[in-house]
Amino acid sequence: MRIKKHPILEFPVKKKIEFYFEDKKLEARDGESIAAALIANNIRIFRFSEKKQRPRGLYCAVGKCASCLMEVDGKPNIMTCITPVKQGMKVKRQKGRGDLI
Amino acid sequence: MIRKVQMAVIGGGPAGLSAAVAAASQGVTVEIFDDNFIPGGQLIKQTHKFFGAKQHLCGTRGMDIAQILLDRCTQHNVIINQQATVTGVYANTLGVLYPDKFEEVEFKSLVVATGASENMIRFVNNELPGIYGAGAIQTLMNVFGIRPAQNVLMVGSGNIGLIVSYQLKQAEVEVECIVEALPQVGGYQVHASKIQRMGIPILTNHTIIRAEGNEQEGVTGAIISEIDKDFRPVPGTEKYLSVDTICLAVGLTPLADLLEQCGCKMTTISELGGRVAVHNHYMQTSRPDVFLAGDVSGIEEAVTATLEGQLAGLAAAKYMNIGNPLIIQNKMNEILIQLNEFRDGPFGEKATYGSQRLLKEYSYE
Amino acid sequence: MSEDQNNLNHSTIPEFLTDILPPEERILKRPVAIIECFQEIPCNPCVDSCPQNAISIDEGINRIPQIDYDLCTGCTLCVPKCPGLAIFVVGVDKEDKTKGSVTIPYEFNDLPQIGEEVIGLNRQGKPVTPAVVKKVIVSKITDKTAVITLSLPSEFIHEVRFFKRQSSK
Ligand SMILES: Cc1cc2nc3c(=O)[nH]c(=O)nc-3n(C[C@H](O)[C@H](O)[C@H](O)COP(=O)(O)OP(=O)(O)OC[C@H]3O[C@@H](n4cnc5c(N)ncnc54)[C@H](O)[C@@H]3O)c2cc1C
Ligand code: SF4
Ligand code: SF4
């Protein structure tokens, strides 16, 4: 769901890159956050809570809550809203707290 | 080896950028630390023309103001560290966390311009994916060019709720309605009028009581209800709205934890949005080497954030005995006049009242 | 949503409006700006936008803008400069008093074409009359805010404040 035409803004065409979500290859644009890339691909469920396994997604988009934490390249608790997406990155839904080691 | 800077600024929004430029113009070497990977704070997502007077760049779109401030930083050799989250402030050092390292930075003076975080309210299922803060919706739409929703329920009719509703329509997203718990619209009449003439209803004395949804899709709907004067839902007035997204624009709280952690005297003033550091006219806290500016000193707007930033930067230079104290004092006096002029309306009353209370506490020291 | 809810609070606008409207003879002379900005907010770009100095704000920037209808030429330059999108220009045809025009600031995709038939909406977004697009201005000065003039029956010049295209839902 990318905006193609906007009355005020111009979105310069950015380089397309590829990343993986749950082992599925998806397209992103260079320079956007992981969270933005996921939402552009219509993915809103980012993780499941620890006790009740309830779904969580993006909330503040500026690194001030902890709703969008995901597992990125094997590391848990990555704030996907303020981390840029990179070519070949492997992003996974986080379950619970994520294992630290 | 600990890196040393004369002045460190936490936060790269209008307040932090302005503080940096003001200090650098007096000869101070300045570094900004901002946790995002795009500098500019809240401004980068404001596509609308700003209010204010000419010297405040009024009539210019927020995102263009960010660029103007960033250019001034470049002119003054201000270094902006991005993806640099300040995790703690100690006697005279900062702890800064980057994606791949941790660093300690020593400072002679510090300006805290961390802005604010968005408030949350209570309703059933309020953590479902598809419920966003207004700032998040703006970031997705206006920074990344992503349409985050098909149709939205907006909660809150302050300026942010009104402006984001307008911006959603500009991105061709439907706004079902705006609910407002108070009996009147919170934001400016001119913003509300823009929304209403597009046919978006503003329902006062209403709130959201429940989000509907599931594990696969997140939000699929919302239940709103009328509320009485004690904010209790009126039974029988519930209404179901089929929306895929709920946007919360229910206020901001200053991000003042670093100030509290580093030992600044704090107080709670609801007019300013919650817990704030006690400070004087020149934005100096009870810790003489620590200054603050912008939303972290009380929720206001970009113009006052910019003016406060300039004050803080100049005051920090003066504190370090850098620059000409007379020139600095004159500049500070001018800025104070502008601040008063800006706040001299009914909408500035809260801020004025809040800062007067702060000043009182400061002078009791 | 019921009519009542839609009108909440902002039913006050037409009330205020009657206090500020120029006399009918003035509107017949030439188009005139109507400033629908009724609160003391810290803002004043309208003052500088007017080449005739017709708009003023007393002491500081927080007072309500005042317009001198004798100075206003109806040039529409102020319309895109107001961040509140609160200034409209209205006019009535001298030859045929049943014909009127309203100029509106517009910041959406797909600008209407000159000559296109659109639906005039009132302050609550309710359709009130068909209208025809007479003029569309977008230039560097307007900074992406289009300035659109509609022709419509003159009885609606104080009512129509927005429009929708027939193609839209
Ligand atoms: C929808 C909306 C519409 C608005 N419209 C207007 C308007 O029309 N006119 C107007 O004047 N104002 C407007 N504002 C308000 C204005 O944008 C803010 O008041 C202003 O941006 C506050 O500036 P600031 O520098 O204090 O904070 P911010 O702009 O929030 O910047 C703070 C920065 O600090 C960073 N930060 C926070 N903590 C840390 C940390 N620990 N380490 C490193 N970095 C950190 C943040 O990520 C951020 O980049 C609007 C705001 C919103 C949300
Ligand atoms: S229409 Fe022209 S003359 Fe009239 S107030 Fe606006 S800018 Fe001034
Ligand atoms: S520019 Fe517009 S919103 Fe600002 S004071 Fe003038 S009329 Fe009001």
Side-chain angles (χ1 to χ4, degrees):
Chain A
M1 289 190 287
R2 292 189 185 271
I3 301 173
K4 300 226 166 57
K5 196 168 163 219
H6 193 281
I8 310 297
L9 296 165
E10 279 156 42
F11 300 107
V13 189
K14 292 228 175 99
K15 205 175 89 196
K16 287 183 186 165
I17 55 177
E18 280 168 343
F19 73 109
Y20 297 88
F21 168 70
E22 301 280 303
D23 300 322
K24 216 172 87 203
K25 199 192 270 181
L26 295 178
E27 201 182 271
R29 297 285 191 281
D30 198 22
E32 67 191 8
S33 64
I34 300 170
L38 289 171
I39 291 186
N41 284 288
N42 290 329
I43 291 159
R44 310 209 279 191
I45 318 274
F46 286 13
R47 70 178 177 98
F48 293 96
S49 67
E50 189 176 5
K51 282 196 196 128
K52 297 191 176 166
Q53 289 82 47
R54 285 172 62 95
R56 297 281 160 85
L58 179 71
Y59 178 69
C60 79
V62 283
K64 296 293 163 327
C65 68
S67 195
C68 71
L69 302 184
M70 295 181 84
E71 197 184 295
V72 177
D73 289 336
K75 268 201 239 167
N77 300 324
I78 299 297
M79 294 184 127
T80 55
C81 68
I82 53 167
T83 307
V85 63
K86 290 271 147 46
Q87 174 70 33
M89 214 172 218
K90 294 189 174 56
V91 179
K92 287 205 160 119
R93 285 192 175 125
Q94 181 166 323
K95 298 191 178 63
R97 266 190 244 199
D99 293 325
L100 275 179
I101 310 257
Chain B
M1 255 288 285
I2 292 184
R3 212 148 61 83
K4 290 184 184 169
V5 296
Q6 282 178 330
M7 183 172 116
V9 177
I10 312 177
L17 296 174
S18 307
V21 171
S25 71
Q26 299 306 312
V28 179
T29 59
V30 186
E31 283 196 33
I32 298 176
F33 300 86
D34 190 87
D35 53 7
N36 210 325
F37 63 102
I38 309 171
Q42 298 285 338
L43 286 182
I44 55 170
K45 48 198 183 198
Q46 309 306 342
T47 50
H48 58 290
K49 294 176 181 169
F50 270 32
F51 287 128
K54 198 156 60 193
Q55 67 266 38
H56 312 136
L57 299 167
C58 72
T60 309
R61 299 186 189 276
M63 55 193 191
D64 300 331
I65 300 180
Q67 197 50 53
I68 293 170
L69 292 174
L70 288 168
D71 290 345
R72 286 186 193 159
C73 282
T74 315
Q75 279 160 24
H76 286 93
N77 299 321
V78 171
I79 295 173
I80 304 181
N81 299 284
Q82 279 155 241
Q83 284 192 277
T85 307
V86 176
T87 53
V89 178
Y90 310 101
N92 58 351
T93 60
L94 297 177
V96 189
L97 185 64
Y98 301 86
D100 50 357
K101 64 170 184 191
F102 181 82
E103 178 187 40
E104 254 185 278
V105 178
E106 191 180 309
F107 60 84
K108 282 213 183 73
S109 65
L110 173 70
V111 175
V112 178
T114 43
S117 65
E118 292 196 77
N119 294 346
M120 193 16 123
I121 50 169
R122 264 174 35 154
F123 56 90
V124 181
N125 296 333
N126 69 358
E127 23 72 283
L128 268 183
I131 299 173
Y132 300 110
I137 295 262
Q138 281 197 309
T139 305
L140 289 170
M141 287 193 304
N142 301 344
V143 179
F144 297 120
I146 293 163
R147 189 175 291 127
Q150 309 268 323
N151 54 350
V152 176
L153 164 67
M154 178 66 65
V155 182
S157 74
N159 278 330
I160 295 185
L162 297 172
I163 290 171
V164 175
S165 298
Y166 184 74
Q167 294 178 348
L168 280 161
K169 287 292 276 190
Q170 287 182 313
E172 298 176 346
V173 177
E174 287 311 313
V175 179
E176 209 51 43
C177 68
I178 303 181
V179 289
E180 166 61 57
L182 293 174
Q184 73 282 336
V185 173
Y188 296 162
Q189 165 254 317
V190 289
H191 286 320
S193 299
K194 275 188 224 177
I195 293 298
Q196 290 178 310
R197 62 181 183 253
M198 288 190 283
I200 302 174
I202 304 178
L203 306 181
T204 48
N205 294 316
H206 273 73
T207 194
I208 175 169
I209 51 175
R210 182 185 182 95
E212 300 272 337
N214 58 53
E215 277 199 11
Q216 287 75 43
E217 301 162 278
V219 172
T220 56
I223 295 172
I224 59 169
S225 161
E226 218 175 296
I227 48 177
D228 63 20
K229 58 180 192 316
D230 300 314
F231 300 106
R232 280 185 308 243
V234 179
T237 62
E238 300 85 2
K239 226 181 287 171
Y240 175 80
L241 303 176
S242 170
V243 291
D244 65 358
T245 297
I246 297 163
C247 180
L248 300 183
V250 291
L252 299 159
T253 301
L255 269 173
D257 38 352
L258 286 174
L259 288 159
E260 181 144 31
Q261 178 259 319
C262 76
C264 296
K265 186 177 170 223
M266 305 294 290
T267 181
T268 302
I269 295 180
S270 58
E271 284 79 8
L272 296 176
R275 225 159 150 65
V276 285
V278 175
H279 58 86
N280 66 12
H281 273 310
Y282 305 114
M283 311 312 292
Q284 188 172 31
T285 67
S286 61
R287 232 187 98 161
D289 58 337
V290 177
F291 301 77
L292 80 173
D295 281 351
V296 69
S297 75
I299 305 303
E300 265 185 285
E301 12 160 72
V303 176
T304 48
T306 305
L307 293 171
E308 286 181 354
Q310 292 169 359
L311 274 179
L314 291 169
K318 196 171 169 211
Y319 163 80
M320 294 184 288
N321 291 319
I322 301 175
N324 181 327
L326 260 166
I327 295 179
I328 292 183
Q329 189 59 49
N330 282 340
K331 283 197 175 178
M332 292 201 293
N333 293 345
E334 263 170 47
I335 298 167
L336 280 173
I337 292 171
Q338 287 185 32
L339 257 179
N340 284 336
E341 191 176 283
F342 195 87
R343 286 175 178 156
D344 158 48
F347 285 91
E349 248 164 42
K350 259 163 83 174
T352 308
Y353 172 77
S355 38
Q356 272 162 1
R357 274 189 51 191
L358 271 183
L359 283 175
K360 233 185 232 161
E361 295 206 23
Y362 188 87
S363 47
Y364 281 144
E365 287 287 290
Chain C
M1 309 288 157
S2 76
E3 186 72 36
D4 259 352
Q5 287 170 332
N6 267 332
N7 282 333
L8 264 177
N9 304 306
H10 293 276
S11 54
T12 44
I13 288 190
E15 243 167 71
F16 278 124
L17 203 61
T18 46
D19 296 340
I20 64 145
L21 285 185
E24 223 169 291
E25 312 87 76
R26 167 61 190 84
I27 303 181
L28 276 174
K29 262 195 228 152
R30 54 176 190 273
V32 64
I34 310 285
I35 305 185
E36 303 192 1
C37 174
F38 303 113
Q39 275 173 339
E40 298 195 317
I41 54 177
C43 183
N44 76 352
C46 50
V47 174
D48 285 331
S49 72
C50 175
Q52 311 300 330
N53 291 323
I55 308 177
S56 59
I57 286 180
D58 280 354
E59 35 153 343
I61 61 170
N62 270 290
R63 302 289 89 83
I64 292 167
Q66 305 293 328
I67 176 163
D68 184 335
Y69 291 123
D70 293 328
L71 293 178
C72 172
T73 61
C75 69
T76 75
L77 281 173
C78 51
V79 174
K81 291 285 175 195
C82 163
L85 305 185
I87 309 183
F88 306 86
V89 173
V90 302
V92 172
D93 193 329
K94 264 183 254 178
E95 319 285 299
D96 178 354
K97 288 182 196 160
T98 64
K99 285 189 187 157
S101 66
V102 177
T103 303
I104 292 168
Y106 190 75
E107 297 183 322
F108 296 89
N109 275 342
D110 300 323
L111 295 179
Q113 306 291 314
I114 291 171
E116 184 176 326
E117 271 198 36
V118 296
I119 302 157
L121 305 178
N122 69 9
R123 292 182 182 79
Q124 276 73 43
K126 292 258 159 22
V128 287
T129 174
V132 174
V133 177
K134 196 161 96 178
K135 211 168 169 187
V136 178
I137 305 174
V138 237
S139 72
K140 209 165 171 177
I141 310 172
T142 69
D143 185 13
K144 292 172 183 146
T145 306
V147 177
I148 294 182
T149 303
L150 305 177
S151 298
L152 37 65
S154 57
E155 56 184 300
F156 294 112
I157 60 169
H158 296 312
E159 219 179 304
V160 167
R161 287 297 175 264
F162 202 61
F163 65 91
K164 68 175 175 191
R165 301 184 72 191
Q166 298 195 321
S167 52
S168 66
K169 294 176 270 172

